[in-house]
Amino acid sequence: MGFFVKDEREKELLQHYKKNSTLKVKNDKMITFYFSDEDQKIFVPKSLFLDNRKEILRDYSELQQYREILDDMQETKKHGITRAVAGGLIAGPAGAVVGASTGGKTKKSVDKMAVVLIFKDGTTFTISLIDKKTKTKSMFYKQKFEQLLQLEAKLDNILAAQEQIQA
């Protein structure tokens, strides 16, 4: 990150939010999103991976809503031909039919896991946690899912606080 920082102001902002954030979330491009309850701000440092390549500093009060994106799938793999041959060798044609219809593994995976922040001025920002096929039993998935839960809890708290102020 250090070589992306150009001036003292940016260095100070980054150091401040590294130290004073109540939640830090790393996306799939290794960009860290800092949520500071003290400052009531969301900070994202300047990066080549950001669309505008500029830092993002938004007030909590600007957040209107968020949306979760969780594209999951279930894949069943059957090795019917192998099982049919083995069943046929053991029990003849009836064994082949039974062998072809048994077994198989079901694997669950996720293609995408993200949260879209929607601000009152109409701008959106996506925090993508997973953007490639990932098995749900993997440690990587479990870590990212935990981050997703923490992020959603933080966003729910931000939005609830805004509702209390408006009420």
Side-chain angles (χ1 to χ4, degrees), residues 14-76:
L14 182 58
Q15 290 306 316
H16 173 77
Y17 284 100
K18 277 185 175 180
K19 194 169 44 171
N20 296 315
S21 294
T22 50
L23 178 67
K24 299 171 189 173
V25 178
K26 246 184 206 171
N27 75 356
D28 60 344
K29 304 233 184 313
M30 303 308 287
I31 298 171
T32 304
F33 294 76
Y34 298 94
F35 291 80
S36 172
D37 290 346
E38 179 184 323
D39 298 334
Q40 298 286 296
K41 294 193 185 293
I42 302 167
F43 174 69
V44 184
K46 182 192 293 191
S47 171
L48 293 174
F49 298 111
L50 291 175
D51 291 338
N52 61 7
R53 297 187 181 197
K54 293 181 180 178
E55 74 209 25
I56 297 165
L57 187 61
R58 301 295 297 255
D59 288 338
Y60 281 2
S61 63
E62 295 177 58
L63 184 66
Q64 182 175 12
Q65 63 180 331
Y66 72 91
R67 294 226 169 97
E68 175 189 283
I69 300 171
L70 190 59
D71 294 339
D72 56 345
M73 57 191 302
Q74 196 165 315
E75 196 176 319
T76 303

Side-chain angles (χ1 to χ4, degrees), residues 144-155:
K144 291 299 182 175
F145 189 73
E146 181 63 32
Q147 277 188 330
L148 176 69
L149 294 177
Q150 290 173 353
L151 176 58
E152 288 180 339
K154 172 58 70 188
L155 295 171

Side-chain angles (χ1 to χ4, degrees), residues 102-164:
T102 63
K105 291 183 179 180
T106 300
K107 295 181 181 181
K108 292 182 182 177
S109 62
V110 169
D111 283 332
K112 184 166 185 68
M113 178 189 291
V115 173
V116 179
L117 305 180
I118 303 166
F119 294 96
K120 292 177 181 175
D121 65 0
T123 59
T124 62
F125 199 77
T126 303
I127 302 174
S128 179
L129 300 172
I130 295 176
D131 70 347
K132 61 182 182 248
K133 190 174 181 178
T134 304
K135 293 178 184 174
T136 57
K137 289 187 177 183
S138 71
M139 183 59 78
F140 179 73
Y141 172 84
K142 290 175 184 174
Q143 289 171 342
K144 291 299 182 175
F145 189 73
E146 181 63 32
Q147 277 188 330
L148 176 69
L149 294 177
Q150 290 173 353
L151 176 58
E152 288 180 339
K154 172 58 70 188
L155 295 171
D156 286 339
N157 288 337
I158 292 169
L159 293 172
Q162 287 181 27
E163 284 180 19
Q164 285 182 347

